[in-house]
Amino acid sequence: MIIKKSELDTVCGITSHLPAHAEPEIAFAGRSNVGKSSLINSLLGRRNLARTSSKPGKTATINFYKVNDAFFFVDLPGYGYAARSAKEREGWARMINRYLTGRKNLSAIILIVDMRIGPTKDDLAMLEWIRKAEIRPVIACSKADKLKRSEMAKQIKKIRMDCGLSEDEKLFPFSAVTKAGREELLQEIAALTGADADA
């Protein structure tokens, strides 16, 4: 799938109303500083559309990016950043829960896990949350370029086991640096949204 057009469409804070539209949505979830914004930018072929920062926890809103005028990428707030106050974390949790339980056009959630360390407790809690909401999870393992090729297969097997993935649940090694996994993940997104994979 070729990304011809992408733009920031809507930014929603804790008290904002979520936008009403009929196009399919692909949401992205992950702990703070896992490389979520870099992954989104890489998929879109943009450098700074999704804000990146060396400071964890910067994204405190739900950001909707319209893609090819056909579907949306939805960037959820990063979780698991302990330096944020309990009140802030609770607010983010409510916001994410409101999104997960109220979007009939949500096609899938791509859960981003650091390939080097595997899923954290927060990642597994998020995965359980996704499944309880009866949403299809897709695992994207970021920072795959940090592993040697000989370590890759072993780590993929371990992450699949730790996440309890079934045979039909997908896992994609990904690197925003080398672009490894980009085309495969875009093809999966095309299938999930009904977008033309060859467009």
Side-chain angles (χ1 to χ4, degrees):
M1 178 171 63
I2 299 172
I3 304 298
K4 298 178 180 178
K5 182 181 179 182
S6 58
E7 59 186 351
L8 178 62
D9 184 83
T10 308
V11 177
C12 293
I14 291 174
T15 61
S16 301
H17 291 289
L18 295 172
H21 53 246
E23 293 90 345
E25 294 177 356
I26 299 291
F28 295 81
R31 63 178 178 80
S32 297
N33 216 28
V34 75
K36 180 160 54 68
S37 295
S38 295
L39 183 145
I40 292 172
N41 284 330
S42 177
L43 289 175
L44 296 177
R46 301 283 294 272
R47 286 189 176 184
N48 297 304
L49 186 60
R51 293 178 300 173
T52 60
S53 174
S54 58
K55 181 180 180 182
K58 183 175 182 180
T59 304
T61 54
I62 298 178
N63 299 329
F64 291 77
Y65 300 94
K66 195 165 191 179
V67 184
N68 287 352
D69 290 324
F71 59 92
F72 286 85
F73 280 0
V74 183
D75 185 5
L76 300 176
Y79 52 78
Y81 185 49
R84 291 288 184 179
S85 70
K87 184 177 180 180
E88 284 178 306
R89 294 199 301 271
E90 287 171 8
W92 293 3
R94 287 195 302 271
M95 183 166 53
I96 293 173
N97 184 60
R98 180 161 57 97
Y99 173 78
L100 292 182
T101 57
R103 304 304 284 181
K104 294 182 179 180
N105 53 337
L106 178 56
S107 299
I109 293 183
I110 297 177
L111 178 61
I112 303 165
V113 173
D114 189 322
M115 186 145 200
R116 300 167 300 176
I117 63 175
T120 65
K121 287 184 179 180
D122 289 322
D123 292 327
L124 294 176
M126 186 66 188
L127 183 58
E128 183 179 0
W129 208 353
I130 293 168
R131 286 175 168 146
K132 283 184 177 179
E134 298 183 345
I135 301 165
R136 179 196 296 269
V138 176
I139 307 298
C141 294
S142 65
K143 306 180 183 180
D145 56 288
K146 303 295 185 183
L147 272 70
K148 296 178 180 178
R149 186 173 297 181
S150 60
E151 301 171 321
M152 188 77 69
K154 181 179 179 181
Q155 189 66 354
I156 288 173
K157 183 177 180 180
K158 183 179 186 303
I159 292 171
R160 290 193 67 90
M161 184 178 298
D162 290 345
C163 290
L165 297 183
S166 64
E167 289 186 4
D168 62 340
E169 290 178 326
K170 304 287 184 66
L171 182 152
F172 295 89
F174 191 94
S175 170
V177 175
T178 67
K179 311 301 181 188
R182 179 179 184 271
E183 293 304 318
E184 292 83 353
L185 191 50
L186 283 174
Q187 291 295 321
E188 178 69 8
I189 290 169
L192 290 167
T193 59
D196 187 349
D198 296 321

